[in-house]
C-alpha cells in the first residue's frame, strides 16, 4: 500500500518522520530498525511519529540499512516433481512467518545449471538452500564454502547444516513388506544415477539382498518421471519379476498405467511400490503403496536452520526424518509359480 501524500502532494519520507519527532535521520533509521542503542523513550517517540504519518520504510532502503535482502534462495533439481513442491511449500511458509521471501531456481537436473544458479542466487540473497543437489560430493564440498550461509536438503557437507529423509531405511521397509507378501523376484526402477537418494536406495537393496539369499533384485535404469516409468513397462514384464520398486511415485504411476494397458493385473500379476506419497498416489487405480516422505516438514526444518545461521547461531546438527510405509492396493501376495 502506498504512503499518503503530504499537504504539498509529495509522499511522506523518513525526513518527515525525523522532523515530527525532532530527531536526526539516523536516529529514525536506527529506531525503526530496532537498534538497541536508541533510548527506549526516543524510539517510542519515533514510532509514534511514523504511525501518525502512516510511514513505512521502503524495502530497498531497509535492505541497505540492514545489509540484508530479507530473501533466501532455494535451488531445486526439478520443479515439476510434487515432492520438491511440497518441500518448497513448507519452507516458504516458515520463512514468510519470519518476514522472509524465498527465491526459487530450477536447475532442470543439470549439474552445470545447478552450479551457476547456486552462485548467482547467493549474490542476490542473504543465504541459499540447496535441495537435493546433483553435484558430485567433492565439488559440492568446494562450492558450499563460498555460499555461506548455506543449508542442504538431502545432502551433507562438513559442518553445513542439513536435513534429509532416511531413504535407505524407508526402502528397506518396502522390501520387507514385499518379502512378507512372498515376492522373491523384484525389479528396482532406478532414478538419476548422480542422485544421492538413488544411491541410498541401491545401498538398501544390496544390504537386503545380502541378508536374504532367496531374493533376486534386478536394477533397471529408468528415470524420475511418469514417462520414464511407462517406458520401463516392457522391461519389467520381460524380467519375470512379481514386484516392482519405483524410484518415486511418478515412475510408479507411469509403470502402473503402462502394464495395466498391456493386460497386466495389479497386484494379482505384479505388485508396484512407489516412493514419496505425493497427493495423487492414493487416487490411482489401485491406490499406490508407497513411503510417505515428510516433505513439508523437511522444508520447514531447512528454514529453521537457515534462520539460525542468519541470527548468528552455531550450525545445527544434521536432522534425519524417516518416511513412513503406507500400504495400499497396488501390492499383494506374490502370484503362485
Amino acid at each position: 500500500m502506498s504512503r499518503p501524500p503530504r499537504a504539498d502532494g509529495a509522499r511522506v519520507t523518513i525526513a518527515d518522520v525525523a522532523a515530527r519527532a525532532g530527531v536526526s535521520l539516523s536516529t529514525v533509521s536506527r529506531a525503526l530498525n530496532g537498534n538497541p542503542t536508541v533510548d527506549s523513550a526516543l524510539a517510542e517517540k519515533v514510532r509514534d511519529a511514523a504511525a501518525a504519518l502512516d510511514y513505512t520504510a521502503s524495502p530497498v532502503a531497509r535492505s541497505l540499512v540492514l545489509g540484508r535482502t530479507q530473501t533466501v534462495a532455494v535451488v531445486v533439481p526439478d520443479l515439476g516433481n510434487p515432492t520438491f513442491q511440497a518441500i518448497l511449500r513448507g519452507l516458504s511458509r516458515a520463512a514468510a512467518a519470519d518476514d522472509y521471501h524465498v527465491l526459487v531456481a530450477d536447475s532442470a537436473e543439470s549439474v552445470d545449471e545447478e552450479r551457476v544458479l547456486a552462485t548467482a542466487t547467493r549474490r542476490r540473497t542473504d543465504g541459499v538452500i540447496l535441495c537435493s543437489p546433483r553435484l558430485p560430493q567433492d565439488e559440492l564440498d568446494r562450492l558450499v564454502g563460498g555460499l555461506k550461509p548455506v543449508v542442504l536438503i538431502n545432502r551433507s557437507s562438513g559442518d553445513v547444516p542439513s536435513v534429509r529423509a532416511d531413504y535407505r531405511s524407508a526402502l528397506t521397509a518396502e522390501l520387507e513388506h514385499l518379502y512378507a507378501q512372498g515376492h522373491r523376484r523384484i525389479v528396482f526402477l532406478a532414478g538419476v544415477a548422480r542422485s544421492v537418494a538413488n544411491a541410498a536406495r541401491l545401498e538398501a537393496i544390496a544390504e537386503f539382498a545380502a541378508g536374504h539369499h532367496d531374493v533376486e533384485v534386478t536394477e533397471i535404469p529408468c528415470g524420475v518421471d511418469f514417462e520414464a516409468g511407462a517406458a520401463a513397462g516392457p522391461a519389467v514384464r520381460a524380467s519375470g519379476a512379481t514386484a516392482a520398486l519405483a524410484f518415486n511415485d511418478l515412475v510408479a504411476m507411469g509403470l502402473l498405467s503402462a502394464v495395466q494397458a498391456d493386460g497386466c493385473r495389479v497386484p494379482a500379476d505384479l505388485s508396484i511400490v512407489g516412493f514419496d506419497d505425493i497427493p495423487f498416489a492414493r487416487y490411482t487405480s489401485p491406490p499406490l503403496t508407497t513411503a510417505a516422505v515428510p516433505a513439508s516438514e523437511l522444508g520447514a526444518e531447512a528454514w529453521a536452520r537457515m534462520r539460525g545461521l542468519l541470527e548468528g547461531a552455531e550450525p545445527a546438527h544434521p536432522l534425519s526424518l524417516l518416511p513412513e510405509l503406507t500400504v495400499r492396493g497396488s501390492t499383494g501376495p506374490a502370484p503362485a509359480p
Side-chain angles (χ1 to χ4, degrees), residues 5-18:
R6 301 181 308 195
D8 60 4
R11 296 190 182 281
V12 175
T13 68
I14 190 172
D16 298 316
V17 177

Side-chain angles (χ1 to χ4, degrees), residues 2 35 52 75 136 141 160 179 207 215 296 303-304 307 310 323:
S2 60
N35 191 312
V75 181
D141 292 340
V160 173
Y179 189 83
E207 182 177 1
V215 175
S296 184
W303 167 250
R307 181 185 60 203
L310 293 172

Side-chain angles (χ1 to χ4, degrees), residues 1 21 26 53 69 98 102 121 138 143 145 175 184 250 257 268 302:
M1 181 177 179
S26 63
L53 294 172
T69 65
D98 289 327
V102 174
T121 57
D138 59 344
L143 180 68
L175 286 165
R184 298 298 182 266
L250 291 176
S257 176

Side-chain angles (χ1 to χ4, degrees), residues 19-299:
R20 185 179 182 94
V23 298
S24 67
L25 295 177
S26 63
T27 298
V28 172
S29 177
R30 288 185 293 119
L32 294 182
N33 286 311
N35 191 312
T37 62
V38 181
D39 177 78
S40 58
L42 196 58
E44 184 176 358
K45 186 177 181 181
V46 170
R47 288 192 293 270
D48 288 344
L53 294 172
D54 197 19
Y55 170 81
T56 54
S58 120
V60 174
R62 181 178 175 84
S63 294
L64 290 172
V65 170
L66 294 176
R68 289 187 179 179
T69 65
Q70 294 297 114
T71 302
V72 295
V74 183
V75 181
V76 298
D78 179 13
L79 268 178
N81 187 316
T83 297
F84 293 136
Q85 294 171 13
I87 289 174
L88 285 171
R89 187 181 305 116
L91 197 158
S92 61
R93 287 178 179 175
D98 289 327
D99 295 323
Y100 263 81
H101 304 288
V102 174
L103 171 66
V104 180
D106 182 356
S107 67
E109 295 287 356
S110 167
V111 169
D112 291 337
E113 188 71 7
E114 182 175 86
R115 185 186 306 109
V116 171
L117 288 173
T119 303
T121 57
R122 176 62 186 91
R123 294 194 190 107
R124 296 166 173 80
T125 60
D126 299 331
V128 63
I129 298 171
L130 301 181
C131 182
S132 298
R134 304 311 196 202
L135 288 164
Q137 189 63 47
D138 59 344
E139 187 171 354
L140 180 65
D141 292 340
R142 291 194 299 270
L143 180 68
V144 295
L147 297 178
K148 293 181 179 180
V150 59
V151 172
L152 297 173
I153 299 177
N154 288 333
R155 290 291 296 273
S156 60
S157 178
D159 63 352
V160 173
S162 63
V163 296
R164 69 180 185 93
D166 186 350
Y167 294 108
R168 182 169 178 166
S169 296
L171 194 82
T172 298
E174 292 185 334
L175 286 165
E176 290 173 343
H177 167 65
L178 291 176
Y179 189 83
Q181 293 287 308
H183 296 280
R184 298 298 182 266
R185 297 189 67 182
I186 302 169
V187 293
F188 171 59
L189 301 185
V192 179
R194 59 182 173 273
S195 165
V196 171
N198 188 70
R201 288 162 168 80
L202 291 174
E203 290 170 1
I205 290 170
E207 182 177 1
F208 187 86
H212 299 78
H213 299 292
D214 56 338
V215 175
E216 177 187 350
V217 183
T218 303
E219 178 186 353
I220 297 178
C222 185
V224 297
D225 56 24
F226 185 95
E227 290 74 15
V236 172
R237 296 296 304 278
S239 71
T242 62
L245 282 167
F247 175 77
N248 63 23
D249 289 343
L250 291 176
V251 171
M253 290 175 186
L255 176 64
L256 179 65
S257 176
V259 298
Q260 288 189 133
D262 195 37
C264 176
R265 299 171 300 164
V266 177
D269 300 323
L270 178 71
S271 286
I272 297 177
V273 181
F275 207 105
D276 288 338
D277 197 21
I278 63 177
F280 318 114
R282 68 191 63 190
Y283 301 114
T284 58
S285 183
L288 192 64
T289 292
T290 185
V293 173
S296 184
E297 187 178 352
L298 280 174

